[in-house]
C-alpha cells in the first residue's frame, strides 16, 4: 500500500472549505485601501509635491530631490499608520516572477536612537546585490550590481506588512534587466506615434495610452495531492499520468457552478486584490476539470501588467490558506486543455476615445479604420516577433495543440469588418477620389455598426482576434509576464503608425488631400496585409497547409522562435524606437534560451527520478506479487496432479475440474503475460532514461547557450514522451494500491 498517496487522497477528500473572511461591506468601500493612490498622495504629500508627481506621471517630467523626499515622507507616514514595518523595491527581473528585498524602516541615529526613516533617495533608487538574476552576459560578475529605480506611474502598495515600490531594474551600465523598463519605453513611443496619427482626425488629442485587460486561466490542485507529486512541485506540470476515465469530453465544467471550496478561495484572493486596487471583474470555471479564469476591468498597460504580476503572487499565497495549490503552467495535464492569458489590447486617447472602437460617424470611423488596419498590417509585417514574444518551454505544449491557438499567427476580424475591408479594397482604387467615390466612402464608413455582431459569435480558435473594440492576443502563456507580448505589440504598432504617417505625408499635397491620402495608404495596406487575415478554424489541418501556401510562418519550438529576436530586421526595429539596443536584444535572446534549457533540464531530472525511484520499484513490486502468485498456483495444482497420479486415482469428475482450472499453464497464462509486459516496459523506461541522461551530458558540454537550448529541445525533450508512454501504461496495469503518485482522477476531480 502506498501510504503517501493514500494519506494525501484521504486528506484531500476530507477537507471542509475554509470560509473566507471577505468583508460584508461593499467592495467600493475598501477598494484600493492598500494603495498609495491619488487620494492618499493628496492627503499625505504637500500640494506642490503632489503636482510635481502628477506631472511626472502625466508628462514624464523628472522628479527633483525635494519632491522625492516629500513623497517618501508621506508614504512612510501612511505605511506606518497601516502597520507596515518594512519597505521594498518591487521589480520584475527576467526570471519571470517579481522580486523584492525587504528593508526595515528603522534606522539608528548617530547618538544610538532608533527612528523610522525613509528618504527620497531610498524611494528613488536602490542597489540590490542581484548577481543571481539573469542578465545574459550584460552584467559581468565583477560588476554584479544592478540598480532599481522608482516608477512613479505605478503606485506603491502594501503587501502583508511591507510597503512595495514598483521599480525598473537596470544594469550598472544602464541596460534593462527587467520587463518594465522596455515596456515603459514602448508605451512612450506608441503614445508619440499614435498621437501624431490622431492629429489627422482630431487636433484635441494630446496623448494616447495603450490599454490591457488580461484574462488569467489557472488550475487548482489540493495541496496534499500536489505535495505527493514531485513533478508538480518542481516543474508545475505533470510529467506522467494516465488519462482518467472522464476528462473534459462531457463539457460540463465550463461556466458550471463553482465548487464551494474554490469559491471561498476566489472570494479570499479577490478581497485582497481589491484592497490592492486590482479591479477584478469576472470569475468562472474554464473548460477543463478544476480549471478556472479570472479577469479584471482593463487598465493602462503598465498598471495592468503590475496588477497581473501581483495577482499571480497573491493567488499563490492565498491558495495555501485553503490547502490548494494554483497552477499557472501552460499545460499542467496532458489530454485536457492548457491555460493561456488572453491579452485584450487597445489604445485610448486623453479625450476618451477608444481608437479601436467603431464610432457613430463616417469621420470617426475613418480614424477607427486607420488604427484597425495599421494593427493588422503591423501583425502582418512582424508576426515572427509576436511568435517570439510568447515563446516559452511551457507554452510550447500549448501552441498548436488541439485546443489552443496555433503557432501560426493570423488575425481574425469577423465577417462584418471583413466585408468592410473587402468593399474598401474594391471601391477605392489608388489615386484621386471622384465625387461618387467620396460619397460611397462616407456611406460605407458610416455603415460600420457601433456594436459589431461578431462580438457575440467570435472565432475562439484565432491567436489574434478583433473582438469588437480591442484586439485579443490569445496565444500568450498563462504563466508569462504580459510585458513580453505587450512590448512587442506596442513596438510593431508604433513602427507601423510611424510608417503610415510617412506614407500619408508623402502623398498629401501632391496628388491628394489628407483624407484621400489616408484612404489611398489604407487601401494599399489592406491589400498587402490580406494574407494574415484568417476567419476559419485555426485548429484545422487545412489551415496549416493554407498558411504554408500563404507564406506564413509556423514556428513550433521556443528556441526557433527566439531566433527571430536577433535578426537584423528585429535589431533595426527595436533600435529605431530606443526600446532595446543590440546588446540588450542579444542578452534577452540568451536569457530566454537559458531559461528554456533550465526548464527542460529540470523536467528531465524529475522524470528520470520519478521513473527510476518510484515507477519502476512499484512495477517490480507488483511483478513480484504476480510471480509469487504463479509459483503458488503451480505448487498447489502441480502438487495435486502429482499426488493424484501417484495414488493412481482415475476420477473423471476430478480430471474435468483439473482441466478447467487446475491446469496450471492455462491458469497462469494471464499473469505470465502481465509479468512479461511489466518487464518490457520497465526495460524500455530504463533504457530511455539512460539515453536521455547521456544526451544531457553531451549537450551540457556546449558553451553556446542558444545551441544548447536547441539541442535540449530536439534531443532531450522527446524522451519525455517515450518514458511517459510506458509509465502511463504501467499505471493502468499495476495494482492501484501500489501506484506511487496521485492519479489524474484524483488531481482533477477532488474539489
Ligand atoms: P470576453 O472576451 O471573455 O467575452 P470581455 O470582452 O468582456 O470578455 O473582456 C475581456 C477583457 O477585455 C476584460 O479584461 C476587459 O476589461 C478587456 N477589455 C475590454 N475593453 C478593452 C479595451 N478597450 N482595452 C483593453 N482591454 C479591454
Ligand atoms: Mg476574451
Amino acid at each position: 500500500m502506498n501510504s503517501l498517496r493514500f494519506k494525501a487522497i484521504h486528506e484531500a477528500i476530507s477537507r471542509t472549505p475554509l470560509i473566507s473572511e471577505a468583508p460584508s461591506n461593499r467592495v467600493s468601500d475598501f477598494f484600493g485601501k492598500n494603495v498609495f493612490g491619488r487620494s492618499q498622495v493628496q492627503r499625505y504629500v504637500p500640494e506642490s509635491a503632489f503636482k510635481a508627481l502628477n506631472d511626472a506621471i502625466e508628462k514624464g517630467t523628472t522628479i527633483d530631490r525635494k519632491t522625492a523626499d516629500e513623497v517618501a515622507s508621506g508614504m512612510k507616514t501612511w505605511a506606518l499608520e497601516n502597520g507596515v514595518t518594512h519597505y521594498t523595491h518591487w521589480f520584475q527581473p527576467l526570471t519571470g516572477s517579481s522580486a523584492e528585498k525587504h528593508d526595515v524602516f528603522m534606522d539608528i541615529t548617530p547618538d544610538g536612537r532608533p527612528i523610522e526613516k525613509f528618504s527620497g533617495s531610498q524611494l528613488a533608487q536602490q542597489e540590490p546585490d542581484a548577481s543571481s538574476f539573469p542578465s545574459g552576459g550584460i552584467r559581468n560578475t565583477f560588476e554584479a550590481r544592478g540598480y532599481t529605480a522608482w516608477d512613479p506611474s505605478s503606485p506603491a502598495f502594501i503587501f502583508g506588512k511591507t510597503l512595495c515600490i514598483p521599480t525598473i531594474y537596470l544594469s550598472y551600465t544602464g541596460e534593462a534587466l527587467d520587463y518594465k523598463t522596455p515596456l515603459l519605453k514602448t508605451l512612450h513611443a506608441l503614445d508619440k506615434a499614435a498621437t501624431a496619427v490622431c492629429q489627422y482626425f482630431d487636433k484635441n488629442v494630446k496623448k494616447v495610452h495603450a490599454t490591457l485587460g488580461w484574462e488569467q486561466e489557472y488550475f487548482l490542485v489540493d495541496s496534499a495531492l500536489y505535495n505527493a507529486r514531485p513533478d508538480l512541485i518542481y516543474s508545475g506540470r505533470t510529467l506522467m499520468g494516465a488519462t482518467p476515465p472522464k476528462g473534459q469530453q462531457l463539457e460540463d465544467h465550463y461556466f458550471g457552478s463553482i465548487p464551494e471550496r474554490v469559491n471561498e478561495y476566489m472570494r479570499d484572493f479577490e478581497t485582497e486584490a481589491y484592497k490592492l486596487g486590482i479591479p477584478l471583474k469576472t470569475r468562472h470555471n474554464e473548460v477543463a476539470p478544476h480549471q478556472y479564469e479570472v479577469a479584471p476591468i482593463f487598465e493602462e498597460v503598465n498598471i495592468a501588467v503590475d496588477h497581473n504580476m501581483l495577482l499571480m503572487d497573491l493567488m499563490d499565497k492565498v491558495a495555501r490558506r485553503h490547502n490548494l495549490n494554483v497552477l499557472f503552467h501552460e499545460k499542467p495535464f496532458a489530454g485536457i486543455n492548457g491555460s493561456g492569458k488572453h491579452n485584450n489590447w487597445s489604445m485610448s486617447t486623453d479625450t476618451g476615445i477608444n481608437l479601436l472602437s467603431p464610432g457613430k460617424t463616417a469621420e470617426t470611423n475613418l480614424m477607427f479604420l486607420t488604427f484597425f488596419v495599421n494593427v493588422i498590417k503591423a501583425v502582418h509585417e512582424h508576426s515572427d516577433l509576436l511568435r517570439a514574444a510568447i515563446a516559452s518551454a511551457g507554452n510550447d505544449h500549448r501552441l498548436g495543440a488541439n485546443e489552443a491557438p496555433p503557432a501560426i499567427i493570423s488575425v481574425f476580424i469577423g465577417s462584418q469588418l471583413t466585408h468592410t475591408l473587402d468593399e474598401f479594397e474594391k471601391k477605392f482604387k489608388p489615386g484621386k477620389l471622384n465625387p461618387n467615390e467620396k460619397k460611397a466612402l462616407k456611406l460605407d464608413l458610416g455603415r460600420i455598426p457601433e456594436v459589431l455582431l461578431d462580438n457575440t459569435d467570435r472565432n475562439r480558435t484565432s491567436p489574434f482576434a478583433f473582438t469588437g473594440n480591442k484586439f485579443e492576443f490569445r496565444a500568450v502563456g498563462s504563466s508569462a509576464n504580459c510585458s513580453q507580448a505587450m512590448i512587442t505589440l506596442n513596438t510593431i504598432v508604433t513602427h507601423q503608425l510611424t510608417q503610415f504617417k510617412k506614407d500619408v505625408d508623402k502623398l498629401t499635397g501632391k496628388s491628394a488631400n489628407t483624407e484621400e491620402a489616408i484612404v489611398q495608404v489604407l487601401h494599399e495596406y489592406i491589400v498587402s496585409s490580406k494574407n494574415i487575415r484568417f476567419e476559419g478554424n485555426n485548429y484545422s489541418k487545412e489551415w496549416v497547409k493554407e498558411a504554408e501556401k500563404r507564406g506564413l510562418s509556423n514556428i513550433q519550438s521556443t528556441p526557433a522562435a527566439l531566433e527571430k529576436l536577433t535578426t537584423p530586421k528585429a535589431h533595426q526595429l527595436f533600435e529605431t524606437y530606443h526600446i532595446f539596443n543590440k546588446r540588450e536584444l542579444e542578452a534577452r535572446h540568451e536569457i530566454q534560451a537559458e531559461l528554456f534549457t533550465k526548464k527542460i533540464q529540470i523536467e528531465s531530472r524529475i522524470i528520470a527520478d520519478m521513473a527510476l525511484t518510484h515507477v519502476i520499484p512499484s512495477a517490480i513490486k507488483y511483478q513480484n506479487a504476480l510471480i509469487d502468485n504463479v509459483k503458488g498456483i503451480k505448487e498447489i495444482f502441480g502438487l495435486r496432479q502429482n499426488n493424484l497420479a501417484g495414488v493412481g486415482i482415475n476420477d473423471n469428475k476430478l480430471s474435468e475440474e483439473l482441466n478447467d482450472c487446475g491446469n496450471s499453464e492455462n491458469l497462469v497464462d494471464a499473469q505470465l503475460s502481465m509479468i512479461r509486459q511489466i518487464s518490457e516496459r520497465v526495460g524500455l523506461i530504463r533504457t530511455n532514461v539512460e539515453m536521455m541522461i547521456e544526451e544531457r551530458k553531451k549537450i551540457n558540454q556546449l558553451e553556446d547557450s542558444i545551441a544548447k537550448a536547441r539541442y535540449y529541445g530536439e534531443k532531450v525533450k522527446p524522451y519525455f514522451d517515450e518514458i511517459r508512454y510506458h509509465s502511463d501504461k504501467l499505471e493502468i496495469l499495476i495494482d492501484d494500491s501500489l501506484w506511487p503518485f496521485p492519479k489524474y482522477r484524483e488531481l482533477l476531480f477532488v474539489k
Side-chain angles (χ1 to χ4, degrees):
M1 187 82 148
N2 191 289
S3 58
L4 180 61
R5 172 170 160 233
F6 284 91
K7 204 168 148 272
I9 296 170
H10 179 72
E11 226 175 299
I13 57 178
S14 48
R15 303 243 193 242
T16 45
L18 174 75
I19 304 302
S20 78
E21 288 167 25
S24 51
N25 45 351
R26 293 180 307 182
V27 171
S28 57
D29 289 343
F30 59 94
F31 186 79
K33 178 177 162 286
N34 292 345
V35 182
F36 198 59
R38 218 183 143 81
S39 60
Q40 279 85 349
V41 179
Q42 218 160 4
R43 230 180 97 198
Y44 287 87
V45 169
E47 178 74 31
S48 59
F50 172 73
K51 212 185 147 295
L53 184 63
N54 259 354
D55 282 352
I57 297 168
E58 300 291 328
K59 299 175 197 150
T61 53
T62 48
I63 292 177
D64 62 21
R65 187 65 193 252
K66 184 166 162 280
T67 305
D69 275 335
E70 285 173 346
V71 174
S73 164
M75 243 182 221
K76 185 190 73 182
T77 310
W78 169 73
L80 292 175
E81 279 176 17
N82 281 285
V84 166
T85 54
H86 287 64
Y87 67 91
T88 181
H89 276 196
W90 182 80
F91 56 104
Q92 296 164 27
L94 297 167
T95 49
S97 42
S98 56
E100 43 199 88
K101 176 188 142 230
H102 298 199
D103 281 302
V104 70
F105 277 121
M106 190 198 65
D107 208 346
I108 306 288
T109 62
D111 59 352
R113 276 180 308 115
I115 55 155
E116 303 294 332
K117 194 176 157 227
F118 185 54
S119 67
S121 59
Q122 285 165 315
L123 164 66
Q125 195 173 318
Q126 296 267 296
E127 285 180 23
D129 174 21
S131 46
S132 47
F133 289 119
S135 75
I138 281 180
R139 197 176 3 67
N140 298 324
T141 33
F142 60 85
E143 219 185 50
R145 282 181 306 175
Y147 67 93
T148 51
W150 178 31
D151 166 21
S153 60
S154 182
F157 56 89
I158 296 170
F159 198 74
K161 297 274 174 232
T162 304
L163 173 71
C164 300
I165 299 146
T167 58
I168 57 170
Y169 176 47
L170 304 167
S171 76
Y172 219 69
T173 40
E175 284 104 348
L177 295 176
D178 68 344
Y179 286 111
K180 196 190 256 285
T181 309
L183 179 69
L184 290 172
K185 288 177 177 174
T186 63
L187 292 168
H188 179 69
L190 182 64
D191 169 22
K192 250 175 70 184
T195 304
V197 171
C198 281
Q199 291 286 311
Y200 288 135
F201 307 96
D202 184 349
K203 295 277 181 230
N204 295 319
V205 174
K206 295 286 180 280
K207 194 174 163 71
V208 171
H209 59 267
T211 51
L212 165 65
W214 37 262
E215 299 164 61
Q216 177 74 54
E217 293 176 338
Y218 60 98
F219 279 87
L220 290 172
V221 173
D222 184 274
S223 300
L225 300 171
Y226 174 95
N227 287 323
R229 299 260 338 189
D231 46 2
L232 282 181
I233 296 176
Y234 295 107
S235 73
R237 74 174 180 111
T238 55
L239 295 167
M240 36 182 71
T243 317
K246 171 179 184 274
Q248 62 188 49
Q249 64 276 69
L250 295 180
E251 294 173 344
D252 52 356
H253 190 63
Y254 192 52
F255 279 10
S257 86
I258 299 173
E260 189 189 356
R261 193 172 156 212
V262 173
N263 199 53
E264 291 304 321
Y265 161 63
M266 289 174 169
R267 275 159 57 81
D268 209 356
F269 80 69
E270 283 164 0
T271 303
E272 299 294 330
Y274 292 138
K275 288 186 201 159
L276 286 165
I278 306 172
L280 299 183
K281 180 83 180 156
T282 309
R283 56 161 103 122
H284 61 79
N285 287 355
E286 259 302 326
V287 176
H290 233 340
Q291 189 190 25
Y292 308 92
E293 181 185 297
V294 56
I297 298 168
F298 69 93
E299 299 174 280
E300 186 276 326
V301 171
N302 180 35
I303 307 275
V305 169
D306 283 0
H307 279 166
N308 181 246
M309 292 307 289
L310 196 52
L311 183 76
M312 287 203 286
D313 199 8
L314 192 64
M315 285 172 70
D316 187 48
K317 290 196 168 102
V318 175
R320 309 299 165 86
R321 283 187 214 155
H322 294 260
N323 293 307
L324 290 166
N325 276 78
V326 57
L327 307 179
F328 289 117
H329 194 285
E330 285 74 13
K331 193 76 184 173
F333 304 99
I336 54 173
N337 276 14
S339 300
K341 175 147 53 197
H342 300 177
N343 280 203
N344 295 270
W345 174 93
S346 187
M347 292 164 282
S348 269
T349 67
D350 56 349
T351 54
I353 295 167
N354 176 357
L355 293 170
L356 291 175
S357 184
K360 285 192 174 63
T361 65
E363 286 72 28
T364 52
N365 276 340
L366 187 59
M367 176 150 106
F368 156 71
L369 218 55
T370 296
F371 283 92
F372 178 68
V373 170
N374 270 287
V375 175
I376 297 172
K377 174 83 172 157
V379 177
H380 178 259
E381 301 300 303
H382 297 284
S383 60
D384 56 343
L385 282 179
L386 282 177
R387 173 63 185 90
I390 51 164
S392 72
N395 221 11
D396 275 2
H397 299 287
R398 187 175 154 257
L399 298 179
N402 217 22
E403 82 298 332
I408 309 163
I409 302 286
S410 68
V411 182
F412 165 86
I413 60 172
S415 59
Q416 285 172 323
L417 286 167
T418 300
H419 178 75
T420 304
L421 296 194
D422 288 348
E423 288 294 297
F424 202 101
E425 185 186 334
K426 253 191 268 161
K427 284 185 187 159
F428 313 113
K429 296 285 174 247
K432 217 169 164 51
L433 296 181
N434 66 37
N436 277 344
E437 284 175 330
K438 274 190 194 168
K439 227 173 64 230
L441 176 72
K442 288 258 172 328
L443 221 70
D444 278 5
L445 290 176
R447 269 201 213 116
I448 301 176
E450 246 185 297
V451 180
L452 297 159
L453 284 182
D454 287 301
N455 214 4
T456 49
D457 177 33
R458 55 179 99 135
N459 186 336
R460 305 295 306 181
T461 67
S462 175
F464 198 92
F466 185 73
T467 48
N469 53 7
K470 63 197 186 277
F471 278 99
E472 183 170 344
F473 192 11
R474 299 211 185 99
V476 182
S478 50
S479 69
N481 183 320
C482 304
S483 303
Q484 189 104 326
M486 292 292 101
I487 289 167
T488 305
L489 187 55
N490 292 342
T491 307
I492 63 175
V493 174
T494 297
H495 176 65
Q496 189 49 55
L497 290 171
T498 309
Q499 190 57 45
F500 174 76
K501 187 161 178 349
K502 275 188 204 154
D503 291 343
V504 169
D505 290 350
K506 220 182 328 177
L507 291 177
T508 314
K510 283 184 204 155
S511 58
N513 62 25
T514 309
E515 189 182 75
E516 284 166 340
I518 289 172
V519 169
Q520 194 166 324
V521 174
L522 287 182
H523 185 275
E524 190 191 303
Y525 287 2
I526 289 169
V527 174
S528 63
S529 65
K530 222 171 167 178
N531 263 348
I532 201 80
R533 278 160 44 197
F534 181 61
E535 300 290 303
N537 178 5
N538 284 252
Y539 299 168
S540 69
K541 289 197 176 65
E542 293 73 43
W543 171 229
V544 177
K545 277 192 217 132
E546 163 75 18
E548 200 183 333
K549 246 193 260 159
R550 293 190 190 187
L552 302 179
S553 62
N554 183 3
I555 308 172
Q556 294 291 329
S557 77
T558 291
L562 292 177
E563 286 180 10
K564 303 295 176 191
L565 278 178
T566 41
T567 61
K569 189 176 158 198
H571 278 287
Q572 206 193 348
L573 172 74
F574 285 110
E575 240 164 346
T576 304
Y577 302 96
H578 309 291
I579 312 301
F580 295 122
N581 59 33
K582 194 160 186 268
R583 198 160 169 230
E584 286 173 314
L585 264 188
E586 276 162 4
R588 253 153 232 262
H589 183 181
E590 205 174 309
I591 290 166
Q592 296 283 7
E594 274 171 13
L595 212 58
F596 176 85
T597 300
K598 280 183 196 152
K599 292 245 159 105
I600 305 292
Q601 200 172 46
I602 291 168
E603 289 186 345
S604 158
R605 287 190 188 130
I606 301 166
I607 200 170
D609 177 74
M610 287 172 77
L612 296 184
T613 68
H614 292 82
V615 173
I616 292 182
S618 304
I620 289 177
K621 220 181 261 174
Y622 183 54
Q623 196 183 37
N624 283 339
L626 290 175
I627 290 171
D628 283 348
N629 179 253
V630 169
K631 275 191 200 153
I633 291 172
K634 287 204 164 175
E635 215 170 77
I636 293 170
F637 289 101
L639 211 77
R640 273 183 67 187
Q641 261 177 317
N642 285 342
N643 286 348
L644 293 172
V647 291
I649 289 177
N650 255 335
D651 184 327
N652 276 345
K653 207 164 162 257
L654 202 55
S655 4
E656 226 171 79
E657 197 183 291
L658 288 174
N659 273 338
D660 276 357
C661 66
N663 183 330
S664 56
E665 289 312 315
N666 278 349
L667 193 66
V668 298
D669 258 3
Q671 275 94 323
L672 285 175
S673 138
M674 287 209 299
I675 291 168
R676 243 178 261 119
Q677 259 194 68
I678 292 174
S679 285
E680 270 167 33
R681 304 231 182 258
V682 164
L684 285 166
I685 290 177
R686 205 187 286 279
T687 331
N688 276 296
V689 168
E690 279 162 10
M691 292 196 299
M692 176 176 75
I693 293 172
E694 276 314 303
E695 280 297 344
R696 242 165 48 200
K697 279 191 194 151
K698 263 192 269 168
I699 301 168
N700 288 346
Q701 304 294 322
L702 295 174
E703 291 287 335
D704 180 356
S705 53
I706 309 281
K708 219 169 168 174
R710 193 162 17 131
Y711 285 126
Y712 256 95
E714 284 169 11
K715 307 264 185 211
V716 176
K717 210 176 135 193
Y719 283 108
F720 297 1
D721 288 342
E722 286 293 317
I723 297 166
R724 177 186 189 133
Y725 177 77
H726 298 294
S727 169
D728 290 358
K729 289 284 181 204
L730 286 176
E731 185 183 323
I732 54 174
L733 188 68
I734 78 168
D735 180 354
D736 180 64
S737 69
L738 292 174
W739 193 250
F741 309 116
K743 295 183 172 180
Y744 269 29
R745 62 166 190 252
E746 290 136 15
L747 295 167
L748 292 167
F749 293 98
V750 178
K751 291 178 197 171

